[in-house]
Amino acid sequence: DTGVSQDPRHKITKRGQNVTFRCDPISEHNRLYWYRQTLGQGPEFLTYFQNEAQLEKSRLLSDRFSAERPKGSFSTLEIQRTEQGDSAMYLCASSLDRRREETQYFGPGTRLLVL
Amino acid sequence: RKEVEQDPGPFNVPEGATVAFNCTYSNSASQSFFWYRQDCRKEPKLLMSVYSSGNEDGRFTAQLNRASQYISLLIRDSKLSDSATYLCVVNRAGYSTLTFGKGTMLLVSP
């Protein structure tokens, strides 16, 4: 399967713990995005990378959230001191930068439950 | 006002029906428009891009009205497999990130 992959698919944690999620984009894609989706809502943008550079961060991304893409390939999203409000599906997407049209392909997501 | 607003659902229709979804966007700088489909507990998948001239893909027709900042999706001869949530998505000029509506759920029954 050459699509976007995410790990883990599910994570249950206790409030206050740290969690880290991984995303492996489609191999030739230079752009990588993180979104968060809660029940009954559409995905909301968190941050995005072009190669290893983090180019944009949403105001949704509090100080407890950090994302990296150290070699311009896979990315990690870490949440420190998790809160119950962090419970959501965390979606990763990747795309190939094309001037005229750019399609984002989503991974299966990591479903986080904070108890 | 939310940046992308969609019809609240769910839409319950019988097989074979024609159903239309509406979407409005608030940012006139929006440049690209899409419909994504999301099955229950799955990731969103691109259904189709939306062009100013309107475009069709089999049973699916998308329309864009830039003056009214309005996007639509028409599904003809609906199938059971069309049951899903349909997300209206816009992309602002100069930005790579996507802005999603809340989605409209479609339930097609036998």
Side-chain angles (χ1 to χ4, degrees):
Chain A
D1 187 349
T2 56
V4 179
S5 62
Q6 292 186 244
D7 184 71
R9 296 289 304 277
H10 300 90
K11 179 72 177 179
I12 301 174
T13 191
K14 291 182 180 178
R15 191 175 51 185
Q17 298 294 304
N18 299 344
V19 295
T20 300
F21 309 141
R22 176 180 170 125
C23 171
D24 286 88
I26 293 171
S27 59
E28 66 270 23
H29 284 185
N30 59 340
R31 288 186 171 177
L32 187 149
Y33 306 80
W34 285 99
Y35 292 84
R36 181 176 73 182
Q37 186 174 24
T38 53
L39 199 62
Q41 303 295 319
E44 295 173 292
F45 166 72
L46 292 178
T47 188
Y48 106 89
F49 294 83
Q50 177 145 324
N51 301 311
E52 64 275 8
Q54 189 172 18
L55 295 188
E56 193 176 343
K57 291 197 287 188
S58 161
R59 55 186 170 79
L60 289 177
L61 211 68
S62 76
D63 291 345
R64 298 184 297 105
F65 288 70
S66 62
E68 293 184 342
R69 194 183 183 198
K71 297 180 181 177
S73 57
F74 74 91
S75 175
T76 58
L77 177 70
E78 181 183 16
I79 309 174
Q80 295 183 325
R81 304 181 303 283
T82 51
E83 300 173 357
Q84 288 182 326
D86 298 330
S87 296
M89 170 88 96
Y90 290 83
L91 291 159
C92 175
S94 71
S95 69
L96 184 62
D97 178 13
R98 288 198 177 114
R99 293 294 174 191
R100 294 197 63 187
E101 189 164 314
E102 179 184 334
T103 299
Q104 293 187 22
Y105 296 87
F106 283 81
T110 295
R111 194 172 294 276
L112 173 67
L113 177 61
V114 181
L115 301 177
Chain B
R1 183 183 170 188
K2 284 202 170 272
E3 197 164 340
V4 180
E5 297 206 57
Q6 295 187 238
D7 289 332
F11 283 26
N12 288 281
V13 303
E15 266 186 298
T18 295
V19 60
F21 300 127
N22 301 311
C23 171
T24 56
Y25 60 95
S26 61
N27 192 327
S28 59
S30 297
Q31 178 179 339
S32 304
F33 309 89
F34 310 91
W35 285 100
Y36 273 71
R37 171 194 167 126
Q38 187 170 27
D39 292 298
C40 187
R41 302 181 73 82
K42 300 280 191 180
E43 72 273 22
K45 292 186 178 176
L46 179 66
L47 179 66
M48 57 198 303
S49 301
V50 188
Y51 303 114
S52 296
S53 53
N55 48 301
E56 189 173 307
D57 183 2
R59 298 181 293 108
F60 298 83
T61 301
Q63 300 274 357
L64 168 64
N65 184 322
R66 285 186 185 270
S68 303
Q69 296 181 197
Y70 167 86
I71 307 162
S72 66
L73 176 68
L74 185 76
I75 305 176
R76 291 182 300 280
D77 188 23
S78 52
K79 313 289 185 192
L80 295 176
S81 58
D82 294 334
S83 297
T85 295
Y86 291 83
L87 296 158
C88 177
V89 187
V90 307
N91 169 249
R92 285 181 290 161
Y95 290 84
S96 293
T97 60
L98 300 177
T99 302
F100 287 79
K102 289 176 68 170
T104 303
M105 185 183 290
L106 172 65
L107 300 169
V108 182
S109 53

